[in-house]
Amino acid sequence: MKRRVFSGARPTGRQHLGNYLGAIQNYVNLQDEYDCVYCIVDIHALTTLENTADLQQNIHGMVLDWLAAGINPERSIIFVQSHVPEVTELHTLLSMVTPLGWLLRVPTFKEKARLQPQNVNYGLVGYPVLMTADIVLYKAEVVPVGEDQLPHLELAREIARRFNNLFGDTFPEPQAKLTPFPLVLGLDGKEKMSKQLGNDIEIALSDKETVARVMTAVTDPARRYRSDPGHPEICNIYRLHQYFSPSRQDSIGRQCRSADIGCVDCKTLLARGINASLGPFRERRAVLAAKPQYVTDVLADGASRARLIAQETLREVRQRVGLI
């Protein structure tokens, strides 16, 4: 019997290279070893979104990218968080046993509150409780995380442990599966790649669009002229070659240091590497995009399968707390 993995992602729309390298490839690989449940957490998104006009379009684009990348709906459950309403009831019940002090100490809450002082809402404070409900509703035993996310998962474990102590053994305490989530910097070379910051490269772009985006990237800030020796160790474009031109990265580094190639050359080589690497993905995505009903059907089937698990869990929870 395979152990169950749960992971959720906010519907930010078409995915970029940071999403692809940091999460999507890992999602695909986990299918070989685990019973995978992958959720588009649209309710979570509402804690920071004040304009939801693009939400459904973002969900559709995100799922297209997941499917084209290799997440198989016959092997994994893929669904939208709000399509399984049991999660909101479990969130409410878990909130009754979660001390407020635990939530106010969460670093992410403090950071989000700083970034959106005009919208410090209850949902933002309770975000970790909803995240816990997402995980334990499906009795997931494993959650793939990077090291920076360990404190959030530890809080989910504490909430599950507290419920178990109060009402009896109900939820497994989810274990972290540390996975390499590479920090992919954006085109500015300073901040993490982000759609919100506008420094991203979407994986579904055309070859021509990819070249145009890569050409806007900041490279070696110390290199002023084509004849100047480069410093690839401080250049974000050079770092990206390890993923898209790995066999050529050392050679590119030597040529950069000796000024045999310039920054435009380096970016051109990267764009070619990205396009070659993502070519099969883009072909699959185009085929899926031509069948819009397919995504709808995948999400409906995923929600149906997820609800079977969720309803059984919630029935047990209601019995534990004395509601039935």
Side-chain angles (χ1 to χ4, degrees):
M1 186 81 172
K2 289 183 176 181
R3 293 195 296 167
R4 180 170 292 149
V5 156
F6 178 91
S7 189
R10 292 160 62 95
T12 53
R14 300 203 315 181
Q15 304 290 273
H16 56 62
L17 293 183
N19 304 133
Y20 182 72
L21 297 172
I24 297 175
Q25 287 186 328
N26 187 48
Y27 285 178
V28 173
N29 294 334
L30 287 172
Q31 295 177 119
D32 294 332
E33 187 178 350
Y34 296 94
D35 172 16
C36 296
V37 179
Y38 294 134
C39 181
I40 297 91
V41 289
D42 56 342
I43 302 175
H44 278 299
L46 298 180
T47 61
T48 55
L49 283 181
E50 295 182 349
N51 183 351
T52 60
D54 296 331
L55 186 56
Q56 293 307 310
Q57 179 181 327
N58 288 346
I59 291 170
H60 187 86
M62 190 173 188
V63 176
L64 271 179
D65 286 341
W66 283 10
L67 295 172
I71 299 179
N72 187 339
E74 295 182 4
R75 301 173 64 193
S76 300
I77 295 176
I78 307 169
F79 71 105
V80 177
Q81 183 184 31
S82 65
H83 294 182
V84 182
E86 286 79 7
V87 73
T88 57
E89 181 175 348
L90 183 57
H91 169 221
T92 299
L93 296 175
L94 292 178
S95 73
M96 305 301 180
V97 302
T98 304
L100 181 59
W102 289 6
L103 303 177
L104 295 177
R105 288 194 297 268
V106 175
T108 304
F109 166 68
K110 296 177 181 179
E111 177 64 13
K112 294 292 186 182
R114 183 184 68 81
L115 292 174
Q116 55 182 69
Q118 79 292 349
N119 186 25
V120 183
N121 54 72
Y122 165 76
L124 201 62
V125 181
Y127 193 109
V129 186
L130 181 56
M131 183 188 77
T132 303
D134 283 325
I135 298 167
V136 303
L137 183 60
Y138 305 101
K139 298 208 170 180
E141 300 166 273
V142 179
V143 180
V145 293
E147 286 193 20
D148 61 323
Q149 296 170 305
L150 283 175
H152 304 104
L153 183 60
E154 184 54 38
L155 180 53
R157 287 166 50 81
E158 289 178 358
I159 293 172
R161 188 182 308 131
R162 183 175 174 85
F163 186 95
N164 289 345
N165 288 338
L166 289 170
F167 300 111
D169 192 20
T170 308
F171 305 120
E173 291 184 25
Q175 303 294 317
K177 179 176 176 58
L178 283 173
T179 53
F181 286 90
L183 175 61
V184 180
L185 296 180
L187 295 170
D188 54 8
K190 296 178 181 179
E191 301 289 342
K192 183 178 178 181
M193 187 172 287
S194 163
K195 186 182 297 289
Q196 185 177 11
L197 294 175
N199 64 0
D200 61 315
I201 303 173
E202 291 183 352
I203 57 178
L205 294 178
S206 68
D207 286 7
K208 185 177 180 180
E209 290 170 329
T210 298
V211 172
R213 288 295 288 163
V214 173
M215 287 302 169
T216 68
V218 174
T219 51
D220 180 352
R223 192 175 189 186
R224 299 181 60 191
Y225 302 105
R226 170 67 173 74
S227 57
D228 291 341
H231 309 83
E233 65 278 359
I234 63 172
C235 176
N236 186 44
I237 292 300
Y238 178 72
R239 284 192 289 269
L240 287 173
H241 277 292
Q242 70 179 296
Y243 304 110
F244 298 104
S245 316
S247 64
R248 303 189 62 182
Q249 188 183 28
D250 289 343
S251 172
I252 290 169
R254 288 193 299 271
Q255 290 177 295
C256 174
R257 291 186 182 92
S258 63
D260 288 333
I261 62 172
C263 294
V264 171
D265 302 313
C266 188
K267 289 193 278 191
T268 299
L269 291 170
L270 176 63
R272 289 175 184 169
I274 293 172
N275 287 333
S277 176
L278 294 179
F281 158 83
R282 289 169 175 170
E283 290 177 7
R284 289 192 295 270
R285 193 184 194 281
V287 171
L288 294 173
K291 302 183 293 183
Q293 185 62 37
Y294 179 67
V295 170
T296 301
D297 291 344
V298 165
L299 293 177
D301 177 67
S304 177
R305 291 158 62 195
R307 286 202 77 180
L308 290 176
I309 303 169
Q311 288 170 347
E312 182 61 32
T313 300
L314 201 53
R315 186 179 301 112
E316 180 183 0
V317 170
R318 288 169 178 162
Q319 288 176 334
R320 294 284 189 183
V321 302
L323 292 180
I324 57 175

